[in-house]
Amino acid sequence: MSIEENVINVRETIPEGVTLIAVSKTKPVEDLQRVYDMEIRDFGENKVQELTDKFEKLPKDIRWHLIGHLQKNKIKYIVGKVYLIHSLDSVKLLEELEKHYKAKNMTAEVLIQINIGKEESKTGIYVEDLEVLISSCENCSNVKVRGLMAIIPQVSEKECGDYFKRMKNLFDDLKKRSFKNISMEILSMGMTGDYRLAIKEGSNMVRVGEGIFGKRNYNNKLGGK
Ligand SMILES: *Cc1c(COP(=O)(O)O)cnc(C)c1O
């Protein structure tokens, strides 16, 4: 199926109130342009270099989402270019974001990435370390937390459902409390294989890559994950 058909098909499965991010990592700008022409404005990239390259080449009304791990030394390249950072997962990264965005008199909009499956191979903060990060966020002036993000383990559908439920409960619990600089509005979870289930369990932002662009080839020079 063509990219255009994919966009139409995926869109049909996304209810109102859920934001669809087209995850375009490893894909050429021509493909992104085709998706843009289908009126998609939210694009997700997992690498800073690739995001900033594409930022230069594509229309300026695109909302760029950084969905991959962010290294502190790369923050300077994204200030003013990224709409939402999905991967805040440490106090150190928070402090660097605050510093760089303050220097430019701008605000970083972020999601806290939760490592809900406690997988060592993955980034994201463990739930038990969350309170410390949240307290630090309350002391920031140039970083605003808008919600949570998770990449769940690759397990059976039933177990996926449980991880999504745990994320939704955490999201709802935090939403009930009131913090400075933190508003729980966005719950970013669900990818090509499981976004329908994620929506059913309460996700309101899904990140779909292969379901729109087709299979990724990690051997090309853009590189993948
Ligand atoms: C690559 C990626 C996606 C999209 O994955 P697909 O299976 O292609 O839909 C979503 N979220 C993150 C964080 C990713 O790195």
Side-chain angles (χ1 to χ4, degrees):
M1 266 192 289
S2 70
I3 286 178
E4 287 76 11
E5 287 171 307
N6 288 339
V7 171
I8 291 168
N9 290 339
V10 171
R11 252 204 195 121
E12 271 174 8
T13 62
I14 308 266
E16 279 240 357
V18 176
T19 303
L20 170 63
I21 300 176
V23 175
S24 46
K25 62 194 187 196
T26 78
K27 296 297 177 179
V29 288
E30 294 74 30
D31 287 3
L32 278 73
Q33 184 66 52
R34 286 169 65 183
V35 171
Y36 178 91
D37 292 340
M38 299 289 291
E39 269 147 46
I40 299 268
R41 290 295 176 270
D42 292 276
F43 287 82
E45 290 286 339
N46 67 339
K47 294 195 160 172
V48 167
Q49 171 87 55
E50 193 175 338
L51 188 153
T52 53
D53 283 352
K54 288 174 175 171
F55 176 92
E56 297 305 329
K57 293 178 183 146
L58 286 159
K60 289 296 170 267
D61 63 340
I62 287 179
R63 295 183 287 267
W64 292 100
H65 296 255
L66 183 68
I67 59 175
H69 181 62
L70 175 57
Q71 285 169 298
K72 293 187 278 296
N73 61 355
K74 302 262 173 78
I75 295 173
K76 55 179 179 286
Y77 302 115
I78 62 164
V79 182
K81 297 186 178 169
V82 169
Y83 174 76
L84 186 64
I85 298 166
H86 289 229
S87 50
L88 173 63
D89 66 354
S90 73
V91 173
K92 281 213 164 78
L93 178 59
L94 174 71
E95 287 169 352
E96 286 297 307
L97 283 167
E98 170 78 359
K99 192 176 88 188
H100 280 88
Y101 276 81
K102 199 174 221 162
K104 291 264 166 72
N105 204 15
M106 297 179 90
T107 302
E109 306 274 339
V110 308
L111 304 180
I112 297 177
Q113 184 181 347
I114 310 288
N115 189 341
I116 193 71
K118 289 190 116 178
E119 294 174 286
E120 273 179 35
S121 61
K122 284 192 182 142
T123 52
I125 192 165
Y126 291 167
V127 175
E128 57 262 38
D129 299 327
L130 194 54
E131 293 291 331
V132 176
L133 180 59
I134 285 179
S135 313
S136 308
C137 291
E138 291 198 280
N139 295 323
C140 287
S141 54
N142 294 70
V143 179
K144 302 273 180 242
V145 177
R146 298 291 181 211
L148 305 178
M149 180 271 223
I151 305 169
I152 65 159
Q154 298 201 317
V155 286
S156 70
E157 183 164 329
K158 154 102 183 50
E159 287 172 280
C160 285
D162 291 342
Y163 282 117
F164 288 140
K165 279 194 181 77
R166 281 170 58 191
M167 283 299 300
K168 178 65 161 63
N169 287 337
L170 179 61
F171 179 77
D172 287 341
D173 286 345
L174 293 172
K175 201 178 189 150
K176 280 188 212 127
R177 296 163 62 188
S178 62
F179 303 103
K180 266 169 63 190
N181 302 320
I182 300 177
S183 57
M184 283 291 141
E185 297 152 42
I186 300 173
L187 181 56
S188 166
M189 59 185 193
M191 321 197 333
T192 297
D194 58 17
Y195 76 87
R196 289 178 194 81
L197 180 59
I199 292 171
K200 204 176 119 217
E201 300 297 348
S203 168
N204 60 16
M205 185 173 270
V206 294
R207 312 177 305 264
V208 179
E210 297 196 330
I212 290 177
F213 291 96
K215 284 245 169 288
R216 281 182 295 274
N217 174 8
Y218 284 111
N219 299 321
N220 66 20
K221 68 174 175 12
L222 281 170
K225 228 162 86 173

